[in-house]
Amino acid sequence: MEADASVDMFSKVLENQLLQTTKIVEEHLDSEIQKLDQMDEDELERLKEKRLQALRKAQQQKQEWLSKGHGEYREIPSERDFFQEVKESKKVVCHFYRDSTFRCKILDRHLVILSKKHLETKFLKLNVEKAPFLCERLHIKVIPTLALVKDGKTQDYVVGFTDLGNTDDFTTETLEWRLGCSDILNYSGNLMEPPFQSQKKFGTNFTKLEKKTIRGKKYDSDSDDD
């Protein structure tokens, strides 16, 4: 009986909370409708024009990004191109890779998807063999590494897969979250809740990645096939 009483009490509290929330939403909608009803034709026209201007501005921004190479995941041929690319765009993600490192190919798949979704950010890749000076300057020692460049300055790095749940099977959403943590793209989710944490709740196992030195090179690699 006590259990039934507790359930009934909880149900009533929940019902009251829902009613209060519904009332607040209805009051807000009524207020907005009232504002529209009280507007004259000139005010409505100004509101319409303001919204059209915002749409035109957003479209112009989109075209500007596309003209600068946003919207696709591109390889750049040299260090000189890197400096030109980061000068042109406010937010840049550059993947420092090697052909023989298979985890670079894993990153490639996710970066292709994100480049199309986040036009506000430029996504590039650069072969470390063609950029020895830049790798030394940016202290690139582990492959793969993502350099996150904002306003022409390197703000952060994603080194290997440690920040991505420490697994080869991380999701695109996990990489998106990690880049969002550095404000290098516009992330709409909750930065306080990494996607791989929710996966852990459902029993996902993560493989610990062992680092090894690439023979004859100064880089470390997260891959096992070098």
Side-chain angles (χ1 to χ4, degrees):
M1 294 295 292
E2 291 182 1
D4 291 340
S6 297
V7 170
D8 289 340
M9 183 179 297
F10 177 77
S11 298
K12 289 179 180 179
V13 170
L14 184 61
E15 183 179 352
N16 288 332
Q17 288 178 339
L18 288 172
L19 287 172
Q20 290 176 1
T21 302
T22 302
K23 183 179 179 181
I24 292 172
V25 171
E26 289 178 346
E27 289 176 350
H28 177 72
L29 288 174
D30 289 342
S31 176
E32 292 298 317
I33 292 172
Q34 187 176 4
K35 287 180 182 178
L36 289 173
D37 288 340
Q38 292 175 350
M39 283 185 177
D40 57 28
E41 290 186 8
D42 289 340
E43 288 176 318
L44 287 171
E45 192 63 32
R46 283 195 295 270
L47 179 61
K48 181 180 177 181
E49 181 60 29
K50 186 176 180 180
R51 289 178 176 174
L52 286 174
Q53 287 178 358
L55 288 172
R56 284 195 290 265
K57 185 177 181 179
Q59 185 62 28
Q60 289 173 356
Q61 178 67 83
K62 179 181 178 180
Q63 291 303 318
E64 180 182 345
W65 283 332
L66 292 174
S67 70
K68 292 179 177 179
H70 293 227
E72 59 180 336
Y73 178 46
R74 297 181 291 117
E75 179 161 7
I76 52 176
S78 69
E79 296 171 320
R80 180 177 297 178
D81 294 278
F82 173 86
F83 291 110
Q84 183 60 37
E85 294 280 1
V86 300
K87 186 186 299 183
E88 289 179 353
S89 300
K90 181 179 178 65
K91 297 180 178 181
V92 179
V93 174
C94 187
H95 175 197
F96 287 85
Y97 81 98
R98 288 184 78 223
D99 284 326
S100 60
T101 304
F102 84 91
R103 289 195 174 101
C104 292
K105 296 176 175 61
I106 294 174
L107 264 184
D108 284 341
R109 295 198 299 268
H110 296 294
L111 292 171
V112 166
I113 296 170
L114 291 178
S115 68
K116 299 179 185 303
K117 180 178 180 180
H118 290 279
L119 295 183
E120 73 277 8
T121 303
K122 179 184 287 183
F123 289 83
L124 306 170
K125 62 186 297 188
L126 178 59
N127 192 327
V128 295
E129 303 291 351
K130 298 179 180 180
F133 166 75
L134 188 58
C135 287
E136 183 175 353
R137 178 173 174 177
L138 297 181
H139 307 292
I140 305 293
K141 296 185 181 297
V142 173
I143 304 302
T145 286
L146 298 181
L148 313 183
V149 186
K150 193 172 181 181
D151 295 321
K153 297 180 180 179
T154 306
Q155 300 287 338
D156 198 3
Y157 298 91
V158 179
V159 180
F161 292 173
T162 304
D163 293 348
L164 305 173
N166 215 24
T167 175
D168 290 351
D169 299 323
F170 66 88
T171 63
T172 302
E173 290 74 23
T174 296
L175 178 57
E176 183 180 29
W177 162 82
R178 175 59 184 85
L179 297 178
C181 288
S182 297
D183 193 32
I184 208 68
L185 51 72
N186 299 334
Y187 185 70
S188 59
N190 185 354
L191 290 173
M192 300 303 293
E193 295 182 3
F196 58 80
Q197 280 193 357
S198 62
Q199 291 172 356
K200 281 185 178 181
K201 294 176 184 177
F202 295 97
T204 302
N205 293 319
F206 295 97
T207 304
K208 185 176 181 180
L209 305 181
E210 298 294 338
K211 293 181 181 178
K212 57 179 273 190
T213 301
I214 298 176
R215 289 186 294 274
K217 299 294 180 182
K218 63 184 177 181
Y219 308 113
D220 286 342
S221 174
D222 268 339
S223 287
D224 299 323
D225 62 342
D226 291 320

